[in-house]
Structure formats: C-alpha cells, structure tokens
Amino acid sequence: MIETTFNPKDVEPRWSKAWEASGAFKPAPEGEPFCIVIPPPNVTGSLHIGHALNNTLQDVLARFERLRGKSVLWQPGTDHAGIATQMVVERQLAQEGNIGRREMGRADFVKRVWAWKEQSGGRILEQLRRLGASCDWSRERFTLDEGLSNAVRKVFVQLHGEGLIYKDKRLVNWDPHFETAISDLEVVQREVSSHLWRIAYPLEDGSGEIVVATTRPETLLGDVAVAVNPSDERYKNLIGKQVRLPLTDRLIPIIGDDYADPEAGTGAVKITPAHDFNDFKVGKRHGLPLINIFTSRATLNEAAPLPFQGMDRFAAREAVLRALEEQGLRRGEEAIRHSEPHGDRSGAVVEPWLTDQWYVDAPKLAAKAIAAVEQGKTVFVPKNWEKTYFEWMRNIEPWCVSRQLWWGHRIPAWYDDAGNPFVAETEEEAQTLARLHHETTEDVSLRRDEDVLDTWFSSALWPFSTLGWPEETPELKRFYPTATLVTAHDIIFFWVARMMMMGLHFMKDVPFREVYIHALVLDEKGQKQSKAKGNVTDPLDLIDKYGADALRFTLAAMAAQGRNIKLGEQRIEGYRNFGTKLWNAARFSQMNECAVWDAYDPRSPKETVNRWIVGETAKAAAAVTADLEARRFNDAATTIYRFVWNVFCDWYLEFIKPPLSGEDESAKAETRRTTAWVLDQILILLHPFMPFITEELWARLGDFGQKRDGMLITSNWPQLPASLIDGAAEAEIDWIVGLIEGVRSTRSELNVPAAAKVPLLLIGADKASEARLERYQGLIDRMGRLEYSTTDEAAPAGAVTFVLEGATVALLLEGIVDFAAEAERLKKEIAKLDAEIAKTEAKLGNADFIARAPDEVVEEQRERLEDAKAARTKLDAARQRLEGAR
RNA sequence: GGGCGGUUAGCUCAGCGGUAGAGCGUCUCGUUUACACCGAGAGGGUCGGCGGUUCGAUCCCGUCACCGCCCACCA
C-alpha cells in the first residue's frame, strides 16, 4: 500500500541511479536528433538557484522530447573558469597561510589548481544529478581536457592564419589586482563619490596659466599635452603655446582638438595617452608620445618624478595634490559622483594600460553571426532579445583574448629571441616556422608565450568541441547544429554571441536553432542574489526540505517569458503539497484496484464520467504539448497542475466513488481502467517537471497492475485526438458540477451546519435535468450532503432556491435557516443579475455593436441576457414566496 | 545619452480586444472511509495617471509618472 506522503529523500537517489544505469540518458539510436549543450558551470563552483532554474528548464525540454521519441543528447560538462578558479585557489593559499602564487611558481601553482579541480570538480555535477538533470553523463567534458584543448589550439592557429587573430599594442583594461588584461565585458561600472580638481598649468612664456579639470590628478605625471576646442574663444589663441607641466620639468603643448568640450570642466583637458582611452586617440591624431607611469600593479614607475616612484596610485593622488597645493597651483575642487571601471572578479579599479595583447577580429566574425539571426537561422525566445544581440554585435570591438594568468589554455605562440611570434599547434611546428623564417636548419631558440586565453574563448567552441570537433565524429554529424540553447540574458554577449561567431566560422552553420533566454532568479525583494549581499538561497537546502520535484516545478511554473523570478519559499511548499496530492490520488487509485491495462482504448468508455475525463485528459495533453513547444513553461505547469488537482482530484475521483463501490461490475471495471489510464497520462505529462515522484508512482502502479515494459522516462508522450472530447458528456458533467456547487454555496451562505443533511427538490425540471438527477442521485446526495433528492412540481414554503439550467433547485431548510438571512441572500443575487441585465441590454441596444461585432459575440450576449432574465424571474418568484411565508 | 522590461487582489505573480485569474495569506465551516502537505465556502481589484483607436480596451497606440535592468559616456 502506498503511504500517505511522498518521501523524496528515499526515492530520488534511487531513481537517479536507475535512470543513469539503464542508459536512458543516452541518445536513442533512432529518432530525430535533439541536442542541448549545457552552459558549463564553473568546475569548482557549486549549484546556485540560477543553475537550478537553467537546468530545470533544459531537463524539462530534454525529458519532453525524449518522451516524444526524439533522440535526445543533453551534453554536460564544466568550465575551467580561468580567473575565477585562479582566484579561489589563491584565496585558499592565503587562508592556509601558504606561500603565495608568485612564490610558488607557475608549475606548482597550476598543479595545485588541478588538485583542487580533482577534489571539488565533480561536486556541481553531482548537484545537478540531485536536481534530476538527465544529461548523458558518460559524455562529460571539461574545457581544459585534452580534446577541447586540441580544439582551442586548432581554432587559434587557424584564425591566426586567416588574419582573424593578431597581436597588437594598445590600451587595454588592466586589472592591477590580478595583473592581467581583461575584456570590455569583464569591466563593470560603479558609481563612486569623487572630486573634480582644477589645476593650473603655467604658460611657458610666463603670460599666465591654463586651468584643467580632472578626477585623476596623479595621471598628470604622464600628461603630454593640454587640449582645447579650436572654436573655444577663451583658449583658441593659446593653441601652439607650451605649458610647464607641474611637478615635472617637462614642457607640453596646448593643442586644438574637437575632443575638448567647451562645456565640460574648464574647457581645457589634460591629455594622458597612456592612461585614458580617449586621450589615446587624441595622442594618435596629434602624434604625441605615450608616457606610461604605472607598473603592472598600478604603482608609479621610474617615468614618474623620483619622489612619487613606487607609490600606489591612490597614495600618489594625495601626494600630487599636496605638492600642487604647496606650489599654489590648485584652483579649487568640487565633489562629484561618477562611475569608475572595476574588474568584475577582483573589484579593483581597472587601469587603461598600454600592453601587447592578442585580439580576435570580432567585427569581421560578427557579420555572419548577425546575418544568421536576421535570417532566422537562429531564433531568440523571447524574440526581443534579438535586439540586444544585434545592438551589441553591430558595435562590437576587437576581443582581447590574452590573459596574464596561469590557469587556462596556454596561447600556442612561440617567440624567437628577437620577439618574432610563431603560431602553431605544437612547438615542433613552431620550430619549423622559425627555421623557415630564419632560413636555417639549426634549432631556433624559442620560448612559449606566457599568457593564457580568456575562458570564454574555449566556451565559444563548446557546441562543437564537446561533440568531438575537430574529429568528424558521428555525434558531431548528428547533433550539430544543436536544437536549443537555454541560458540567461546576462551571458548573451559573453557566450551566445561568441558561440555564434565561432560556430558559423568553423562549422559553417549556426551552433543552435533556438536560444531560449530565461529569467534571472532574484531574492524576495527583487535583488540579484550574491554572496556579498548574503541573500542567496541554496537550491540544495530547498531540495532537502521540499524535494527536487517541488523545486523544479516551482521554477518552471514561475518561468514566464520576459520577467524575472522573485522566489519565495511558500510557493515551493505549495508545489510540494501538489506532489502529495498526486501521491494520494494514486493511493486512492491503488486502494480501488485501478490497475493499468495495456489494451485500454480511450475511445471505449460508455459511462459519462469516464467519457468526460478522457476528453479532459485529451484537452490537458494538447495544452501542455502546445505550451512546451512554445516554451511557455509556466503555462504548461499551470495546465497540468489544474488538471490534476481541480479536475481529476476534485471532481473525477469524487464522481467515481459511487460506481467503484456499486453493483454494476462492467461500469466498475471500466472506471478502474479509465482511472488507471488517466493517471498514467498524468504521470507522463508531469514527468518533465516532476521526474522523481512520477517515476516512483509509475513503478508502484505498474507493480500492482500489469507489469510495465519499462520506466516512465522512456515511455510515450500522449497524442490524443480531439475526437475524444465528448460534448454531451461535458454538458452533463458541467450540469452536475453546477448543481453541487450551488448546493454547497447556498448552504454555506446560509450557515447550514455541515452535518445537517437536507432534502433537495428539483422544481419544474425539464427531461434532461430530471434524467441527470436520477442518474447521479447518489453522487449528488453525497457531495451536497443531502438527505435525499427528487423532483417536484412546486417549491414548498420555507424552501430556499437557486437557479440552474433547466430547473430551479429548492433546498428544504425550514427550521434551519432564518428568513432574514435568505431574504438577504436573494436580494444580493437579484442585484447581481440586475447589474448584468442592465449591462447586457445596453450592449445589445447599441446598433453599432449589433452591426460590427462578430455574430457569435452578439449571440453570446443575447443568450446571456436571456439566462439572466430567466434566473431573475425565478428568484423573484422565490422572494415573493418567502414574503408570503413570512 | 541610447535601449529593454515592469506597474493587475494584502503578498508573489499569470493573463491579454468581448462577463478580471492562480498560489500564498485572511475569514467562516468541516473527524464526508485518497489526502489536514486536506475538503467546502466567502471576502478582496475603478488591471499606475491622462489622452487616442475601436461597436467594445486591463489588453492596441501615444503620453506622463514611478520602479528595475543593460549599453555608452563621464575633464
């Protein structure tokens, strides 16, 4: 016997193992391919609520398509997450009081990171298994494993050969904490309080001074000019003069350039080409020198005047201001708020810094990636994200891919002593290139590039590298392009765009046909969850508390397109209860020997309730299917929820209690089989959302009935024709439901004690209602808590009535309710009807409405008016009778 | 400065040209033999403001207000 509550803790691990062991997660040999590549989580990370949502949705799709008979490959794996992982390990070293990364040396440090990866790397995938993710775990990949590293080298070398990767010396965003370049995307702007300082630069000829405004006085030491706008009357006659750069012995020119905005600051702007992106451009235009005053750690180098050398940039700022003060060159300041660039991982203020880096020619690669989306080869769901994608892609900058880190793919470039680079997949090939270059047969002394690649470089190859590229594997052939990518909008630029570029370039086709962009999961206040804020909800805690099914269902039910999710725990509790409800429906079914029967034909039932529930099942199945196809996860979840609870449990299971305990053996058998069949359909429809409880019930219900062929996970999605919907059965059941609801509502409003059984009379019933009453008498009496029910000519005094299609319903409540309460109830009902009558009459009185509205709408309004009037007449009669009785 | 989204019941959110919905919470009632992680019933909304289109607008268009996010800039 099934117990009264479902215990996820016992059941979940069992099925996780069984599914995997059975090979159900591997793609079926036959069937239309359907592939999803997982957004690889950081190898050393742990599951957060965003992963839970992301992977729930992927798993819903994977299980749905698998049930529909497709050959599903959900490709799992992890990302080496260069900067993030290096940071974690460095922090560990510090906490353990160990020597730091630099003291340790590169080889030992990298060994240490690998050790950490081996130790913690499997954790997040274990956590995904707990969520129920049906990935083909046998195909797990890691962005630094051999195959993927091979792909990375090949891509780098080929792009380099095509001129799409090149080395360049220019300003980059430099993170002084990690001492590495980072890409534009890894820079986050933060509002900070600061000052705008005004500083006087004396004119060389002693004829006065020019005042510049700056938020970064320390960079003055690297100034090479002062720019003014040529149209600025205040300054234009100063162009060409020299000023004495304070605190140094340098003379620098005043130049005219449109970049200087007469409205901003003082209208005169200091130019520091080595430390500001705009100044860099100005410097280029005017052929100005670049003076780099910072070290890689953003302390002042030997290019700065002696007293400032070795100072940290912020200390230098104070020192420069003090020195200027002493020399009487400060001309005031104002407090301002402005945004300042920070490294997204380190939090350090990013410094524009002049270095040699490798760049990918993103503007060139973007062209095809833009066209593919324009042509609909890849579609975004919801579609409006395409706009974001286009906006970024059309303004894309070269992608700086080299990082001065140790954890990652080493750049496949070797240098000779003169610094000439030789890009090749192996050192031997580089050696060959070097010999050719030097026209020698001797070994050339080579050293490998110290740098590694941006983590996103290898992620960009994920859809084909995980399938075996550059080998032409059967999987690559079969599953590329993949079907759907499921991800959040915050990595459209980081990842989606770059996969599009790389996929189109190397595979000549898009990496995925569809990009489903889901919500971000926020805390209850609508804030982004972060460890720093301490507002993270751990999905594993939620799984422990409510079960994976409840968490999954909640996330899916809240995944409405285009809106973020504010997750509250009560909601999860509610869906846990839903699981219990289903569990108990199965329990009921088992207690009543509703055994599954292979040969069941849903067209076969004769009993109205059975015909009705078959039709309702067909409707629900069609709706869930359509919702999932349209990626309306929330609608699909709501549909199945309502069908299970509000249709199957609330009504059908109540309806079948009389036949299940009745004498009619054929009706009983039919009802048992129908119940078992409907429950099976429910389990299948719900399985993508709640895999564990449904699989468990599938097994248990199969056991006491006929043995099943296999597990639910590999069963078949229902395809039920609309012809199963029986209009007559529907009308009949609707009438019964209306009657029972009327009885319950009336009783409750008049405070009839629940224990009181009252008689019911159907007054002036037409043939159909009379027949229905007779057929369902036992049921109606039971659900309405009636003493008996029958038909009669007229309602006796003291009866309380309400109106139903085809009859007036009278409850004999004399002595139980007081007339005042009933009069009040009638008055309320009549007022409601009057309002509706007035509204509908107004509508129908409008000639334009009659002329322009569709006929069916007009007809509907006419019917509504008629019904309301009829009901009104009946209630009026009831009121008069009540008056008379009083 | 550019772009995107939001504003619907006490709370969290669906819906979307034709009688306003759910979950949770609230109130009343309930030992009806699947389920109190339950059952029955009730209350609760001028669908942010103002205009417009339409026979009809919560839904479409315009505009304003407030909230959030992204990009760019910031001397």
Side-chain angles (χ1 to χ4, degrees), chain A residues 54-340:
Chain A
N54 178 248
N55 289 287
T56 293
L57 299 182
Q58 289 176 78
D59 197 48
V60 168
L61 291 180
R63 287 179 188 266
F64 169 57
E65 298 295 3
R66 197 179 284 125
L67 286 166
R68 290 216 289 183
K70 290 191 187 168
S71 172
V72 172
L73 170 60
W74 183 9
Q75 170 65 50
T78 50
D79 194 286
H80 67 282
I83 203 163
T85 304
Q86 180 161 328
M87 187 170 74
V88 168
V89 175
E90 278 195 79
R91 195 179 294 151
Q92 276 180 359
L93 289 175
Q95 271 168 7
E96 292 163 8
N98 243 311
I99 53 169
R101 165 169 75 96
R102 290 183 190 83
E103 294 73 39
M104 211 171 203
R106 181 166 191 152
D108 283 346
F109 180 78
V110 169
K111 211 181 274 172
R112 168 80 196 221
V113 183
W114 273 107
W116 166 241
K117 184 260 170 189
E118 294 310 327
Q119 181 199 328
S120 76
R123 189 174 53 161
I124 192 153
L125 298 182
E126 276 313 310
Q127 293 172 329
L128 283 175
R129 283 179 171 92
R130 283 206 58 195
L131 188 68
S134 61
C135 301
D136 182 354
W137 299 107
S138 69
R139 294 187 52 83
E140 183 189 331
R141 295 291 183 274
F142 176 48
T143 49
L144 267 181
D145 69 23
E146 210 185 312
L148 273 61
S149 299
N150 188 26
V152 164
R153 281 191 298 272
K154 191 152 184 112
V155 163
F156 189 95
V157 172
Q158 188 180 324
L159 287 176
H160 178 262
E162 293 166 342
L164 293 168
I165 280 186
Y166 55 90
K167 198 159 194 186
D168 198 8
K169 190 185 199 79
R170 55 163 83 182
L171 284 189
V172 291
N173 298 297
W174 184 262
D175 184 322
H177 177 263
F178 289 117
E179 295 178 70
T180 179
I182 55 179
S183 74
D184 299 346
L185 287 175
E186 291 162 279
V187 176
V188 291
Q189 301 292 335
R190 277 192 216 142
E191 277 275 296
V192 294
S193 293
S194 180
H195 290 86
L196 187 61
W197 288 278
R198 283 188 292 278
I199 302 166
Y201 288 16
L203 290 166
E204 185 230 353
D205 59 12
S207 63
E209 61 184 34
I210 187 163
V211 178
V212 300
T214 182
T215 53
R216 302 209 54 195
E218 70 279 13
T219 63
L220 169 155
L221 303 171
D223 281 2
V224 297
V226 171
V228 298
N229 196 295
S231 67
D232 192 331
E233 294 300 330
R234 294 170 294 178
Y235 300 122
K236 70 184 208 188
N237 52 3
L238 296 178
I239 293 170
K241 292 197 173 185
Q242 302 271 317
V243 294
R244 211 167 274 291
L245 183 62
L247 315 183
T248 69
D249 51 9
R250 286 193 283 125
L251 289 178
I252 60 173
I254 296 174
I255 59 172
D257 195 289
D258 285 340
Y259 167 65
D261 176 1
E263 304 296 315
T266 61
V269 57
K270 60 196 270 320
I271 300 298
T272 323
H275 299 295
D276 182 283
F277 288 102
N278 287 312
D279 292 6
F280 183 81
K281 287 184 209 151
V282 175
K284 257 201 165 152
R285 279 201 287 275
H286 294 268
L288 296 168
L290 291 135
I291 301 178
N292 171 25
I293 59 166
F294 288 129
T295 66
S296 62
R297 298 201 205 191
T299 60
L300 294 191
N301 66 16
E302 65 288 348
L306 199 56
F308 300 103
Q309 286 181 17
M311 279 186 181
D312 174 77
R313 55 188 158 160
F314 301 111
R317 180 175 300 175
E318 299 306 317
V320 164
L321 287 168
R322 260 197 318 275
L324 290 169
E325 182 72 43
E326 282 161 18
Q327 299 190 12
L329 293 172
R330 283 179 60 178
R331 295 292 177 268
E333 64 186 66
E334 58 182 299
I336 56 161
R337 282 190 72 75
H338 72 142
S339 56
E340 204 175 41

Side-chain angles (χ1 to χ4, degrees), chain A residues 501-743:
Chain A
M501 292 191 280
M502 293 298 196
L504 281 160
H505 192 76
F506 287 93
M507 297 295 299
K508 311 292 175 217
D509 201 349
V510 293
F512 22 74
R513 301 273 179 229
E514 176 192 31
V515 181
Y516 176 81
I517 301 291
H518 66 245
L520 298 176
V521 185
L522 309 173
D523 72 0
E524 278 142 316
K525 291 177 205 146
Q527 291 187 312
K528 213 166 170 171
Q529 297 193 4
S530 73
K531 277 186 197 147
K533 284 185 208 148
N535 61 349
V536 289
T537 39
D538 184 344
L540 294 165
D541 290 346
L542 296 172
I543 291 174
D544 286 339
K545 205 162 162 192
Y546 302 103
D549 290 328
L551 176 63
R552 292 168 57 112
F553 198 89
T554 307
L555 291 169
M558 295 182 84
Q561 288 182 9
R563 192 154 177 160
N564 287 336
I565 294 176
K566 281 184 227 170
L567 188 65
E569 213 171 306
Q570 279 185 328
R571 194 82 185 253
I572 307 173
E573 194 180 332
Y575 290 126
R576 186 269 321 265
N577 296 351
F578 172 60
T580 308
K581 186 75 181 176
L582 173 70
W583 188 257
N584 279 287
R587 181 168 188 261
F588 172 86
S589 169
Q590 187 185 53
M591 288 169 72
N592 285 284
E593 298 165 56
C594 302
V596 291
W597 189 44
D598 263 359
Y600 183 82
D601 178 353
R603 289 167 302 186
S604 65
K606 305 278 182 287
E607 300 294 317
T608 306
V609 281
N610 293 333
R611 296 178 66 75
W612 167 75
I613 197 65
V614 165
E616 291 298 309
T617 306
K619 281 196 245 173
V624 171
T625 306
D627 289 337
L628 283 179
E629 282 175 343
R631 311 302 185 227
R632 291 188 304 258
F633 296 96
N634 59 320
D635 288 337
T638 305
T639 300
I640 185 76
Y641 179 96
R642 296 177 67 103
F643 176 63
V644 171
W645 201 313
N646 303 118
V647 179
F648 184 68
C649 291
D650 285 351
W651 294 107
Y652 180 71
L653 292 186
E654 295 303 325
F655 285 153
I656 62 173
K657 282 175 183 173
L660 286 178
S661 58
E663 304 292 306
D664 183 340
E665 288 305 322
S666 99
K668 193 188 283 187
E670 177 191 295
T671 301
R672 282 174 168 163
R673 287 167 178 173
T674 303
T675 304
W677 177 83
V678 174
L679 200 47
D680 270 4
Q681 309 313 302
I682 285 171
L683 295 180
I684 303 168
L685 293 173
L686 189 55
H687 182 258
F689 301 91
M690 294 187 144
F692 295 105
I693 190 173
T694 51
E695 189 74 78
E696 177 70 10
L697 286 174
W698 182 263
R700 295 214 192 188
L701 294 170
D703 265 348
F704 89 90
Q706 198 167 312
K707 284 277 184 193
R708 308 241 193 223
D709 281 347
M711 292 193 285
L712 173 58
I713 189 174
T714 49
S715 63
N716 299 308
W717 191 256
Q719 284 182 296
L720 304 173
S723 59
L724 290 173
I725 300 164
D726 178 340
E730 215 166 57
E732 190 157 313
I733 298 299
D734 283 352
W735 188 86
I736 307 293
V737 168
L739 173 59
I740 292 165
E741 283 180 339
V743 171

Side-chain angles (χ1 to χ4, degrees), chain A residues 360-378:
Chain A
V360 168
D361 191 345
K364 271 225 178 82
L365 290 171
K368 279 185 186 151
I370 293 167
V373 175
E374 283 171 342
Q375 292 158 12
K377 288 179 183 159
T378 293

